[in-house]
Amino acid sequence: MTRSTAELIADRKRLLGPNVSTFYQEPLHIVRGEGVWLWDADGRRYLDCYNNVATVGHCNPRVVQAIHDQASTLNTHTRYLHDGILDYAEALTATVDDGLDTVLLTCTGSEANDVALRMAEAVTGKRGIIATDATYHGNTALVSQLSRSNEPKVGFGLEQFFRFVEAPDSYRNPDPDGTAFAAALTKHIAAHEAAGIGFAALVVCPYFLNEGFPQHADGWLRPAAEVVRKAGGFLICDEVQSGFGRTGTHLWAHQKMGVTPDVMTLGKPMGNGHPVGGLVTSAETMRTFRDGYRYFNTFGGNPVSCAAAHAVLHEIHDRDLVENARIVGAHARKRLEDLAMRHACIGDVRGAGLIFGAEMVVDRDTKEPASAFTERVVNAMRDRGFILSKLGRHKNTLKIRPPLVFSIENADSLIDTLDDVLREVPQP
Ligand code: PMP
C-alpha cells in the first residue's frame, strides 16, 4: 500500500495513537538511505546531518552483508554456545581500560541503563541514583524517571531514589575544571545518605550530549569521578550517544573526559540501526549482578546482532572514522565560528568531533535563548534538504550529529546553507 503524506499522517494517528511525535512541521517520508544521504518518497535527496545511529553510513554494505550472511545461517539466543558473541565481546573489551572486561548485550540503550542501575544497586546495596537535571537515559519504568529533558508526568513512585544535579553549561555557567559540578554532586550524595537511601550511582553521558554538549577540556569529569568513588558509588557512563568515536579523539567519551566508569552502557550506533545495545563492566560486577538477578534477554546478543555490531567496529577501525570525525568536526566548527562573526543570533559554537552545533540567542549580552527561532532554522534547513535538529535545556542549540562518514564537502554545503538560512529566516 502506498499512502500519500496526508494519509500517512492520518493513519499514524489512527493506528499508532493520536499523539505520536514526528520531526518537523512538515514530517518527512524517507524511503531510502545510502551513506550520508536520505531520499524521500518524491525522490528528493537530503543530507543527513543528524542520524548518529547509521554511524558508518545508511545501509552500509559491510553491515548489510554481515546481517544477511548470519541471518541466512542461524539466529538463536545466548543460551546456546556461539562464537559470534564471544568474538564481539573480545573486540569490544579490547577498546576499553583493563578491568572493563565483561559484556552484557541488550536490544536497546534503555535496557542497558536499566541493567547498569541494577548492577549499582546489587554491588553497593544502596538505591540512590543521581543524574543531571537536563538529561535522557531511556524509556524503561526505571530509567524513564531519570529523564528531565522530557519529564514524565506519571511514574511508579520511585522518585525518592533519584536526585538531579544541575547539568553543566559552559556558556551560561562556566565550570572550567569541573570542581563546581563535583561540589554539587557531593551535596546530592549527602542528601541521599541523610534520607537513609544511600548513594548507589551517578549516571551521566560523559560528553553531556542531551544537555547541549558543554565545551569542556579533556579530563573534565575527573573531580566528579573522585567524589563518586569516595562515596562508594558507581560511575555509570552512558555512551549511547557519545560512544563509538563520536567525539573524534577517542572511541569512548569517558576516555576523553579522563575517567574509567564502573559500567559503560551502549546503544544507538552499535549496530548501525540493527537493534543492539549493551554494557561493559568488570567480571566482579557482572558476577554480583547475575547472582542477584536472573537476567536473560531473548534477543540481546543473538548471532545476527553480534554480526552487525562486529561489522560496525570493523568499519570504524578500518576506515579510520574516529580520525575522520575529528578532522571534519574541527573544520565544521571553524566554519561555524566564522558564521558567528556575521550572525549575531549565534551566541556560542561548541562540540567535538561530529557532535557540534551553535547555541542561538536573542541577544548576546543577556544570552536570552532564541528557542522559537532555532525551531524555524531547523525547519528551514529541512526545506532546503538538510536534516538536523535542536537540543539542550532551552532547545535553542542546533544539534548536528551526522554519520561518521560525513566529509569536508558535506560540512561545507551544510554551513553554506546555514549561512543563507540565518540570513533569510526572520531573526529572533
Ligand atoms: N541514553 C542516551 C544518552 C540516549 O540519548 C538514549 C536515546 N536517545 C538512550 C539512552 C535510550 O536508548 P534507546 O532508545 O535505544 O532505548
Side-chain angles (χ1 to χ4, degrees):
M1 177 171 190
T2 308
R3 296 174 173 85
S4 68
T5 302
E7 287 165 344
L8 281 165
I9 292 171
D11 278 0
R12 274 173 65 97
K13 285 205 172 104
R14 183 171 63 81
L15 295 167
L16 308 182
N19 48 0
V20 181
S21 61
T22 51
F23 281 159
Y24 305 117
Q25 271 158 8
E26 271 187 62
L28 274 175
H29 179 197
I30 308 277
V31 293
R32 190 163 75 82
E34 186 184 319
V36 292
W37 299 104
L38 293 169
W39 283 264
D40 72 11
D42 297 326
R44 183 169 183 209
R45 194 173 77 153
Y46 295 80
L47 181 64
D48 187 354
C49 311
Y50 177 77
N51 285 293
N52 62 334
V53 170
T55 199
V56 294
H58 289 279
C59 304
N60 177 289
R62 189 171 185 174
V63 178
V64 171
Q65 191 67 47
I67 291 171
H68 171 270
D69 289 351
Q70 188 56 51
S72 25
T73 307
L74 173 78
N75 202 19
T76 50
H77 56 75
T78 54
R79 281 182 173 151
Y80 299 105
L81 303 180
H82 198 270
D83 278 320
I85 189 168
L86 302 180
D87 291 344
Y88 182 63
E90 197 106 67
L92 186 62
T93 54
T95 66
V96 283
D97 282 4
D98 291 348
L100 291 173
D101 40 25
T102 58
V103 170
L104 181 150
L105 295 180
T106 61
C107 308
T108 64
S110 302
E111 286 175 289
N113 282 327
D114 192 290
V115 170
L117 294 184
R118 289 194 271 157
M119 285 180 161
E121 186 208 352
V123 172
T124 64
K126 311 276 177 58
R127 300 186 76 183
I129 307 294
I130 300 175
T132 80
D133 65 355
T135 192
Y136 179 79
H137 290 294
N139 58 22
T140 71
L142 184 60
V143 294
S144 63
Q145 302 296 307
L146 284 172
S147 297
R148 298 293 100 175
S149 60
N150 226 331
E151 199 165 332
K153 296 184 184 68
V154 291
F156 277 89
L158 296 171
E159 54 277 9
Q160 70 272 29
F161 300 113
F162 303 124
R163 295 191 65 86
F164 300 96
V165 61
E166 191 175 339
D169 180 341
S170 56
Y171 179 50
R172 293 195 163 71
N173 197 7
D175 174 17
D177 56 7
T179 48
F181 184 68
L185 208 49
T186 305
K187 287 193 187 145
H188 283 287
I189 292 172
H192 266 321
E193 299 291 0
I197 284 166
F199 172 55
L202 169 71
V203 50
V204 279
C205 165
Y207 202 68
F208 300 97
L209 260 96
N210 287 323
E211 289 86 337
F213 49 90
Q215 198 74 53
H216 290 142
D218 286 3
W220 189 88
L221 264 182
R222 265 188 217 118
E226 273 165 32
V227 162
V228 169
R229 294 271 146 68
K230 218 168 113 205
F234 255 38
L235 175 63
I236 299 170
C237 283
D238 176 343
E239 296 255 18
V240 166
Q241 289 212 51
S242 61
F244 292 99
R246 176 64 40 194
T247 57
T249 48
H250 300 72
L251 193 62
W252 309 112
H254 70 258
Q255 295 166 333
K256 185 175 179 60
M257 288 296 121
V259 299
T260 303
D262 295 286
V263 187
M264 166 173 84
T265 58
L266 305 169
K268 283 186 182 286
M270 194 170 184
N272 210 48
H274 188 86
V276 197
L279 59 81
V280 186
T281 189
S282 70
E284 186 53 23
T285 295
M286 191 67 80
R287 189 187 60 73
T288 308
F289 170 72
R290 287 196 177 278
D291 277 352
Y293 287 96
R294 177 191 165 276
Y295 188 83
F296 175 63
N297 189 320
T298 300
F299 298 124
N302 71 70
V304 174
S305 296
C306 291
H310 210 154
V312 169
L313 266 191
H314 280 307
E315 279 287 89
I316 292 174
H317 177 263
D318 294 356
R319 295 170 70 182
D320 218 356
L321 292 180
V322 184
E323 178 65 356
N324 187 63
R326 188 184 69 74
I327 293 168
V328 178
H331 174 82
R333 273 196 317 287
K334 167 80 187 53
R335 291 221 43 209
L336 263 183
E337 277 155 18
D338 292 345
L339 278 199
M341 295 205 251
R342 272 177 284 129
H343 297 282
C345 57
I346 298 183
D348 194 31
V349 171
R350 48 180 194 264
L354 284 174
I355 168 65
F356 59 92
E359 178 150 353
M360 302 292 175
V361 291
V362 175
D363 178 305
R364 280 188 181 165
D365 293 328
T366 63
K367 298 183 180 174
E368 185 189 331
S371 308
F373 172 72
T374 311
E375 173 76 14
R376 290 199 293 275
V377 170
V378 167
N379 278 289
M381 290 298 289
R382 170 243 184 272
D383 293 343
R384 284 165 177 78
F386 292 80
I387 292 183
L388 46 86
S389 188
K390 59 189 190 313
L391 86 178
R393 195 190 292 279
H394 310 288
K395 300 278 185 278
N396 67 324
T397 301
L398 291 180
K399 176 184 188 183
I400 304 173
R401 193 194 51 176
L404 296 187
V405 290
F406 210 65
S407 67
I408 297 262
E409 193 193 351
N410 298 148
D412 280 340
S413 71
L414 162 70
I415 306 291
D416 289 345
T417 306
L418 186 60
D419 193 6
D420 294 343
V421 161
L422 292 180
R423 227 175 288 119
E424 288 162 26
V425 168
Q427 291 296 307

